[in-house]
Amino acid sequence: MAKDTKRRILDAALDMFSEKGYAGTNIRELSASLNLGKSSLYRHFESKEEIWNAVIDMMAAYYDEHFGSVDNLPVIPQNTDELYKMTMGMVDFTIHDERIVKVRKLLLTEQFHDERARRLATRYFLEDTEEIFTNIFEGMMKNGSIRKMNSKVLAFSYTSPITSLVHLCDREPEREPEAKEKLDEFLRMFIEEYGE
């Protein structure tokens, strides 16, 4: 029961933080949205900051499990068709998973106010994705499915336009078809250029 209540609090806090930001989230409103008294909420978390940190921890674990991470790498594609499918699947997950969309919105807003949010935004929007694809491309170079070259530079040049298109979908969801068309063109061009 306590675990369920704690999870409900974190889910509601994620909603509020992503909509109103950290400063705009009020514990009284959070409690009311859950039909809990403030004292009941404080039995599970000592402060708004503790709730914030628990939300970030919960979503970091969720993202690593469902998207992948440096410690949880996806299976190395054996050919460029598999790379294409894997990438499109990752983008679909990133654009459509409601929890991930909320976290991305939260990090984009709060990176200017909170050091931990800033570090996580850099990690998720740039460093981890690059590192994941650096490892993927090293594996693909070993299995002969893409040309040998600097895997870090290749990963950076691969992930940067993809990240830009994901952010476009966040800002203007109605442009998703256009973003996916551009992504398809980019992936096909990349495969033609670097595939073996």
Side-chain angles (χ1 to χ4, degrees):
M1 181 74 170
K3 193 173 183 180
D4 287 346
T5 302
K6 206 168 190 174
R7 180 58 186 254
R8 284 182 50 234
I9 292 168
L10 294 177
D11 287 341
L14 173 60
D15 289 344
M16 280 198 173
F17 287 143
S18 69
E19 288 174 25
K20 299 180 177 193
Y22 180 82
T25 296
N26 178 299
I27 292 296
R28 185 173 52 256
E29 290 175 5
L30 177 60
S31 300
S33 75
L34 294 160
N35 294 319
L36 290 174
K38 275 175 65 175
S39 60
S40 295
L41 189 137
Y42 282 124
R43 269 183 262 163
H44 298 281
F45 296 98
E46 292 180 10
S47 65
K48 182 166 99 171
E49 184 177 356
E50 187 178 346
I51 295 170
W52 167 257
N53 285 319
V55 165
I56 297 295
D57 291 343
M58 172 183 76
M59 292 314 301
Y62 181 83
Y63 190 84
D64 290 352
E65 177 186 342
H66 292 86
F67 181 83
S69 69
V70 176
D71 297 323
N72 180 30
L73 290 171
V75 175
I76 302 296
Q78 294 303 303
N79 55 55
T80 54
D81 286 342
E82 287 181 16
L83 174 66
Y84 177 93
K85 288 177 190 163
M86 180 189 73
T87 302
M88 291 302 274
M90 290 171 124
V91 169
D92 275 339
F93 168 75
T94 302
I95 291 172
H96 295 121
D97 187 284
E98 288 182 33
R99 297 176 93 198
I100 293 301
V101 170
K102 288 175 186 174
V103 169
R104 203 166 41 253
K105 186 176 176 183
L106 178 151
L107 291 177
L108 283 168
T109 304
E110 292 302 317
Q111 68 183 325
F112 302 104
H113 310 289
D114 181 86
E115 177 62 29
R116 187 169 184 211
R118 182 174 25 258
R119 285 192 316 268
L120 284 173
T122 299
R123 179 181 159 202
Y124 289 126
F125 303 153
L126 181 64
E127 295 172 345
D128 273 13
T129 306
E130 261 184 62
E131 182 121 6
I132 288 168
F133 277 94
T134 296
N135 284 294
I136 287 169
F137 291 147
E138 285 173 359
M140 291 183 76
M141 287 174 200
K142 284 179 186 164
N143 72 27
S145 53
I146 61 171
R147 283 196 291 127
K148 291 189 180 195
M149 60 179 308
N150 184 319
S151 58
K152 284 184 179 262
V153 172
L154 190 61
F156 177 74
S157 65
Y158 188 76
T159 58
S160 294
I162 295 170
T163 300
S164 294
L165 291 172
V166 167
H167 288 301
L168 173 64
C169 291
D170 285 343
R171 286 187 303 275
E172 300 181 57
E174 70 280 2
R175 293 182 66 186
E176 182 183 332
E178 173 192 343
K180 284 196 164 175
E181 188 176 317
K182 283 184 179 178
L183 176 59
D184 175 72
E185 289 172 11
F186 168 73
L187 293 178
R188 292 184 190 285
M189 182 190 77
F190 179 92
I191 287 167
E192 187 176 322
E193 178 72 23
Y194 298 105
E196 289 285 64

